[in-house]
Structures are given as structure tokens and as C-alpha cells.
Amino acid sequence: MGIYQPISRRLKSQDNLERLEVGLFQWWNRLGQTSTYVHRFQSFTKPRRPLGRHRRSGLFRPSYAFSKRLFDLAICLLALPFVLPVIGAICLAIWLEDRGSPFFYQTRTGYGDENFRMWKFRTMVVNAEAMKQQLMHLNELQWPDFKIKNDPRMTKVGKFLRRSSLDELPQVFNVLKGDMSLVGPRPTSFSSKRYQSWQMERLEVKPGLTGLWQVSGRSDVEFDERVLLDIEYIEKQSFWLDLQILFRTFESVVRGHGAY
């Protein structure tokens, strides 16, 4: 498993958990964030049971993992008759614009620090990756994240797909395969070697099509804050929380909030 160890093994004692929490809080305080986020983060430093016996989290309940997998499969299989025609229409639109492949895949970091191939619709010109270095000065997020609001590499069809979040639709096959879940931390395009040690906890669960950070800001949220939200989800995850995130994701997609 390399340098990665499950959080349930690394944080067996309350002392280890408290050291992680204090370190995270000190880091968050140094950023000088607003009192709203400090108040949210203070929940990490309150006395509680060791994480390995956290009753609210589904992380240590095999029944939750099993039911979540069944839920993922049921939703994806029920949606396929509606999703496949949409995928076909989008593929045709992308191909007609520049005769390039409609699909784009990246190697992403998933559960247990294992890499997998994540599928998306191609929203940029064919040589977009080669142009990335030339546009580095326009990056609007903290490196290693990379995002430009009005990215010159974006195609006309791609702009619509990004705004509507339909570019993520092929990931339904990643969910069916078992690489992803409907709800979980979004997989990063960069290696976990760039993670700080405390950020490794986000690899404790399967990555998701959507997650807590997406309904809290989506593309507008920096990576460090996303990880804090991922940790909050992991420690509080439940079937009810998953349903809330799915409904709020649908609302965010309809409004186009934070998507570009």
C-alpha cells in the first residue's frame, strides 16, 4: 500500500486524532479565514470518542458500504435507458464540431491511493494538454489545481457541457465498474504525492460523482478547503447525508452555480 495507510489504522488512539485535529486547526487559523469557517472547523477539536468508534460515520459500518454500493448500482442501472441516448447525442455534437474523439480520460487518484481511469466528455480542443503550460499564468486556483474561467481551449459544445455539468455524465460507467460512487470526495487529477499527510484521509472512501464540497461552492472552492469538507463528509457520512448531497447537487446544476 506504499505510504498510504487507512485512517482507521493511523488514528487508533485519541491522542493521535487530537494531534491531527490541532494541526489542522492551526493550519486553518494561519490562513486567516473568516470566523464562519473557523466555527465550522472547531467541531474537529471538541472532545469525542476515537474515530475508530465514531458511531455517526458510515466508514466503519460494513452494512453502510454494502447498501451504498447497491444504491449506486440501482440508480445507475435505472438511469441508463435515459442516459444512453443523451450520451449518443453529445458524442455526435462533439464529433461534428471538430471531428475529434468525444471522450476524454484522465488517470485519477482513487480509494486506497489506487489509480483509475476516469471518463469525461471532451470539452476542449484536441491538443488542450499541450497548451496547458502556456496558460499557466491564467490559473485561478492554487497549484496543483488548474482552472480558468474563460478558458481559450474550450470548444463551443464544451462550454455548454461544462455549464450544465453534462461533461461528467460518462462517469456513470466508473460508478458501475466500482471505481467511483455517486457521492464521495472528487478524485484529483494530480498524484497523492502532492498531498500533505493530513489530506490522505480523503482516500479512505471511494471518490464520487459529487460531494460535499461541490454543493458548498463547486469550482469556486480551493483544494485545501475541499479536503476539509471531504474529511467532514467522511466522518459524518450516512445514507441520509448522501441523499441530501445528491438533491443539493441537482439544485446546483440547474442553477449553474460555480460551474465553468
Side-chain angles (χ1 to χ4, degrees):
M1 299 181 68
I3 63 172
Y4 172 78
Q5 292 181 348
I7 196 72
S8 54
R9 295 182 183 178
R10 290 185 284 117
L11 301 180
K12 284 185 177 179
S13 71
Q14 182 68 25
D15 291 341
N16 287 341
L17 178 59
E18 289 176 351
R19 280 198 293 270
L20 175 66
E21 293 170 340
V22 170
L24 287 173
F25 184 77
Q26 290 175 345
W27 168 85
W28 191 247
N29 195 42
R30 284 199 300 271
L31 289 181
Q33 299 295 331
T34 63
S35 58
T36 300
Y37 289 114
V38 171
H39 176 71
R40 176 202 295 172
F41 190 63
Q42 281 175 340
S43 63
F44 281 86
T45 58
K46 294 178 180 178
R48 61 183 179 187
R49 294 180 299 273
L51 182 60
R53 299 198 305 271
H54 200 304
R55 293 180 181 177
R56 296 184 62 190
S57 174
L59 181 61
F60 301 97
R61 289 189 280 115
S63 60
Y64 168 77
F66 179 73
S67 61
K68 183 173 183 177
R69 178 59 180 155
L70 289 181
F71 178 76
D72 289 344
L73 290 173
I75 293 297
C76 290
L77 291 174
L78 288 173
L80 275 183
F82 306 98
V83 168
L84 290 177
V86 176
I87 289 178
I90 293 175
C91 286
L92 180 61
I94 295 173
W95 183 81
L96 287 175
E97 182 171 4
D98 61 8
R99 298 299 193 272
S101 171
F103 294 105
F104 170 78
Y105 72 85
Q106 284 183 325
T107 298
R108 296 291 180 106
T109 305
Y111 172 66
D113 203 14
E114 295 291 334
N115 293 331
F116 71 98
R117 179 176 290 187
M118 190 185 81
W119 291 91
K120 302 180 69 172
F121 281 123
R122 182 173 59 84
T123 58
M124 298 184 177
V125 295
V126 176
N127 62 333
E129 285 298 307
M131 298 171 61
K132 192 171 183 178
Q133 289 296 326
Q134 304 171 19
L135 302 171
M136 195 65 68
H137 63 287
L138 298 177
N139 185 20
E140 299 175 8
L141 296 178
Q142 294 178 352
W143 180 258
D145 273 336
F146 184 85
K147 201 141 195 171
I148 304 173
K149 188 169 186 178
N150 296 309
D151 200 316
R153 302 172 297 168
M154 199 82 69
T155 64
K156 293 179 180 179
V157 175
K159 289 180 180 179
F160 168 75
L161 294 177
R162 285 285 186 92
R163 183 63 65 180
S164 62
S165 297
L166 287 173
D167 59 315
E168 312 284 359
L169 199 55
Q171 288 161 41
V172 68
F173 298 110
N174 286 116
V175 176
L176 287 172
K177 185 180 176 184
D179 293 327
M180 297 177 64
S181 178
L182 289 176
V183 181
R186 284 295 292 169
T188 55
S189 57
F190 47 90
S191 168
S192 62
K193 293 179 181 179
R194 296 182 181 271
Y195 288 13
Q196 298 180 44
S197 58
W198 67 269
Q199 296 171 336
M200 296 295 287
E201 184 176 350
R202 73 190 309 273
L203 303 178
E204 184 66 21
V205 297
K206 287 184 180 180
L209 275 172
T210 185
L212 187 58
W213 72 262
Q214 280 198 302
V215 298
S216 302
R218 302 186 68 201
S219 301
D220 308 312
V221 181
E222 295 285 1
F223 179 64
D224 288 331
E225 186 181 342
R226 296 205 309 263
V227 175
L228 289 173
L229 291 172
D230 290 338
I231 293 174
E232 183 176 344
Y233 167 76
I234 290 171
E235 295 195 355
K236 296 181 178 179
Q237 63 179 318
S238 66
F239 194 67
W240 173 240
L241 179 59
D242 290 343
L243 289 176
Q244 287 181 295
I245 291 173
L246 288 173
F247 281 122
R248 290 179 62 185
T249 298
F250 178 76
E251 182 182 11
S252 296
V253 168
V254 171
R255 293 183 178 182
H257 175 63
Y260 57 82

